Amino acid sequence: MNDIRPMIEVRGAQKFFGPLEVLKGIDFSVARGQIVAVIGPSGSGKSTLLRSLNHLETLDGGEVWLDGVKVNQTLGRRAFERHINGVRQQMGMVFQHFNLFPHLSVSENITIAPIRLKGMARAEARALALKMLDKVGLADKIDAVPARLSGGQKQRVAIARALAMQPKVMLFDEATSALDPELVDEVNLVMKQLAGEHMTMVIVTHEMRFAAEVADRVIFMADGAVVEEGSPAELFRNPKQERTRSFLKKFLNG
Amino acid sequence: MDIALIGRIFPVFVQAAWTTVELSLLSLAIGLAMAALVATLRLSHVTALRFIGAAYVSVFRGTPALIQIFLLYFGGPQIGIQLEPFAAGAIALGLNIAAYMAESIRGGVRSVDRGQMEAARSLGFGEGQSMRWIVLPQAAKLMIRPLGVNAVALVKGTALVATISVVELTYTAQRFIGSTYKPFEIFAVTAVLYMIMVYGLTVVIDRLDRAYAGEA
Ligand SMILES: Nc1ncnc2c1ncn2[C@@H]1O[C@H](COP(=O)(O)OP(=O)(O)OP(=O)(O)O)[C@@H](O)[C@H]1O
Ligand SMILES: [Mg+2]
């Protein structure tokens, strides 16, 4: 049973920003170990959808489930805060602009959550940081400060920071959009490596080639709705919807 | 220029300046504590609390400090608050500067990139924890300069409590005018002593600023 239960399940997700309906009742699920890429034009609601998975955005309707636990439960303020902090510890999130903590060293960026939230001993946390940095190829930067890192290195540290909490899923919101083109590959490589380790991932991206390479399933969103979804082969080579076709054509023609 | 007079009054004036320093420090402590509270209210999610914070700032910034001092010192006894001049002065000045300092604190917190709070929350930190470990340490650095400006204004503003007979620098100067008729010498000495205090304060602020800048 456990293997059948989806890792992430979204039902009828609805979100308004003022009068604007940004998510118009979205359904989708992500199986354990599956990698889902979300693509779509700017403003289609990709980020909003991703951010509602860990409740950085509060949905106005619908449900989000993580591994059988309802994320957007109705609870008292205190109880919900405790609940959501627990849920978030199980979902790593990687942002377009890295959002490393500039006042902390690379090591502290990674250890602060395990130490403060899981009560991990400092020495153990540092060993963990080293292991995670090794994974992203930056073990030698453990005592650096974020300001000294390149964009690609910052993003890899951000991934290491998220991984240090041993999350069940990883959420990426255009992890490489803010990077100089020559730094994109090093981050993509880390993400592919995670894919190889069967990490469950939801990846919002503008890079169709990368989505095709890494994803098990691609979701095309437009105007707050899922227009079409399928395997990369289906969706990229043989899109069924006109909307998908025109989007992909625009992309391929630059 | 009556140099001999300056020599004679100087020790008394240094004594009075020390009272100004004590007054400044006490109102600074009151001001910072109150400012932290008011800034917290202003940054709250609860509308009512935000409103109270905003009202505090409007009232204390929107009325003359002198009137606030009078209200507490002269008006206080009428509602059962009886204070010595020094205490009334320190409290009134502290409550007044708190309104400005609260805005400096809030400004610092608001200047920290929103992504910092989001990154902390997404790791599983609660709101308070995110503030404490991620946002405030970064905001502190941004607050030092504006809080320093507030503190300098406070030191100069202590002159107002001469009006309720706190024997600080300005009061002492005024008292000596009557017995010497040498306002130029007396106010020049007074001004120099204020300048020395403000200079000392700016040195401290610079040090703090540099210490924090180096840390990040
Ligand atoms: N905090 C907000 N307040 C108001 N409107 C918002 C907010 N965040 C997003 N929106 C609007 O919601 C819509 C969807 O935004 P979202 O960021 O989810 O799109 P996106 O698909 O991620 O776009 P992009 O590819 O440019 O990142 C847009 O019209 C955007 O302007
Ligand atoms: Mg987006």
Side-chain angles (χ1 to χ4, degrees):
Chain A
M1 272 309 280
N2 269 355
D3 292 328
I4 297 166
R5 186 173 68 199
M7 186 60 106
I8 297 173
E9 176 140 43
V10 176
R11 289 192 212 127
Q14 199 181 24
K15 174 74 184 175
F16 289 88
F17 283 120
L20 184 69
E21 190 173 11
V22 176
L23 299 179
K24 301 173 177 167
I26 288 192
D27 299 290
F28 83 105
S29 68
V30 184
R32 208 163 294 266
Q34 197 175 41
I35 293 147
V36 171
V38 182
I39 62 169
S42 186
S44 56
K46 306 180 298 292
S47 296
T48 307
L49 177 64
L50 195 75
R51 290 159 55 81
S52 63
L53 297 181
N54 70 350
H55 210 264
L56 282 183
E57 300 289 355
T58 308
L59 288 179
D60 296 306
E63 297 177 355
V64 176
W65 294 74
L66 172 71
D67 201 12
V69 175
K70 190 172 174 191
V71 173
N72 55 340
Q73 298 186 21
T74 314
L75 291 169
R77 211 178 106 74
R78 286 270 169 88
F80 183 77
E81 177 86 349
R82 221 173 308 120
H83 157 74
I84 200 65
N85 293 340
V87 167
R88 284 172 176 157
Q89 289 184 30
Q90 302 170 46
M91 302 177 111
M93 187 167 230
V94 176
F95 300 87
Q96 185 176 353
H97 297 287
F98 331 127
N99 299 353
L100 288 185
F101 306 134
H103 62 302
L104 301 178
S105 70
V106 164
S107 150
E108 289 165 334
N109 263 276
I110 299 171
T111 59
I112 186 166
I115 290 174
R116 301 279 183 198
L117 297 174
K118 291 182 167 174
M120 192 179 282
R122 270 165 202 287
E124 191 188 343
R126 187 170 166 94
L128 176 67
L130 192 58
K131 194 172 130 198
M132 293 305 147
L133 284 170
D134 201 34
K135 239 177 160 48
V136 301
L138 289 172
D140 58 323
K141 297 291 184 197
I142 188 162
D143 291 313
V145 289
R148 289 284 164 80
L149 303 178
S150 72
Q153 292 173 331
K154 282 183 189 165
Q155 194 60 298
R156 286 188 281 155
V157 170
I159 293 171
R161 175 175 71 181
L163 290 175
M165 288 302 279
Q166 261 122 25
K168 289 178 175 171
V169 307
M170 286 286 286
L171 311 175
F172 295 85
D173 192 358
E174 296 192 31
T176 58
S177 294
L179 297 177
D180 292 335
E182 71 272 18
L183 301 177
V184 167
D185 281 348
E186 61 188 69
V187 173
N188 282 347
L189 204 69
V190 168
M191 290 166 71
K192 275 187 204 159
Q193 185 189 317
L194 279 178
E197 295 167 14
H198 305 294
M199 172 63 82
T200 308
M201 299 200 268
V202 182
I203 301 171
V204 171
T205 182
H206 279 139
E207 290 179 80
M208 299 307 137
R209 188 187 306 273
F210 179 65
E213 277 171 25
V214 76
D216 300 310
R217 207 150 53 82
V218 181
I219 294 179
F220 172 64
M221 275 181 76
D223 290 331
V226 174
V227 174
E228 184 169 353
E229 64 171 287
S231 71
E234 286 166 359
L235 198 119
F236 287 120
R237 296 228 191 91
N238 190 18
K240 291 181 189 60
Q241 303 293 326
E242 176 51 37
R243 189 78 213 256
T244 317
R245 273 199 287 276
S246 70
F247 171 77
L248 289 173
K249 199 187 297 168
K250 235 179 271 163
F251 243 94
L252 295 177
N253 298 340
Chain B
M1 181 79 106
D2 190 341
I3 301 289
L5 171 71
I6 294 176
R8 247 185 307 125
I9 63 172
F10 201 71
V12 183
F13 274 56
V14 169
Q15 185 66 42
W18 183 247
T19 305
T20 294
V21 169
E22 289 175 328
L23 184 66
S24 301
L25 288 176
L26 184 57
S27 14
L28 183 63
I30 294 169
L32 279 172
M34 193 66 192
L37 176 67
V38 173
T40 306
L41 294 176
R42 294 218 61 182
L43 292 165
S44 164
H45 292 297
V46 184
T47 313
L49 296 183
R50 267 205 315 276
F51 178 80
I52 295 172
Y56 183 96
V57 172
S58 301
V59 167
F60 280 88
R61 288 205 313 196
T63 55
L66 189 62
I67 300 303
Q68 295 163 21
I69 293 166
F70 284 173
L71 196 60
L72 180 61
Y73 182 66
F74 295 118
Q78 233 177 294
I79 53 167
I81 304 170
Q82 194 110 34
L83 293 167
E84 295 297 313
F86 184 89
I91 292 170
L93 288 170
L95 295 181
N96 175 262
I97 205 66
Y100 296 87
M101 290 185 148
E103 291 302 275
S104 299
I105 292 173
R106 186 172 75 114
V109 170
R110 295 281 296 266
S111 308
V112 175
D113 180 43
R114 249 170 59 96
Q116 293 292 304
M117 176 60 93
E118 289 191 344
R121 297 308 305 268
S122 73
L123 284 167
F125 284 109
E127 172 132 52
Q129 294 172 312
S130 305
M131 257 307 170
R132 162 108 173 60
W133 288 312
I134 304 303
V135 176
L136 280 179
Q138 296 177 59
K141 199 168 55 184
L142 303 171
M143 287 172 201
I144 291 174
R145 289 271 152 209
L147 284 177
V149 170
N150 299 146
V152 167
L154 171 64
V155 171
K156 293 190 288 188
T158 55
L160 289 173
V161 301
T163 56
I164 57 168
S165 331
V166 179
V167 188
E168 44 68 77
L169 191 50
T170 300
Y171 180 86
T172 303
Q174 284 170 340
R175 219 185 46 193
F176 271 76
I177 303 291
S179 57
T180 63
Y181 303 104
K182 292 276 168 65
F184 183 80
E185 284 85 346
I186 284 171
F187 283 124
V189 169
T190 305
V192 166
L193 286 169
Y194 274 115
M195 256 184 66
I196 292 171
M197 288 187 273
V198 168
Y199 177 76
L201 181 59
T202 53
V203 168
V204 172
I205 295 162
D206 280 341
R207 287 254 170 93
L208 280 174
D209 195 44
R210 249 176 292 137
Y212 267 87
E215 199 181 81

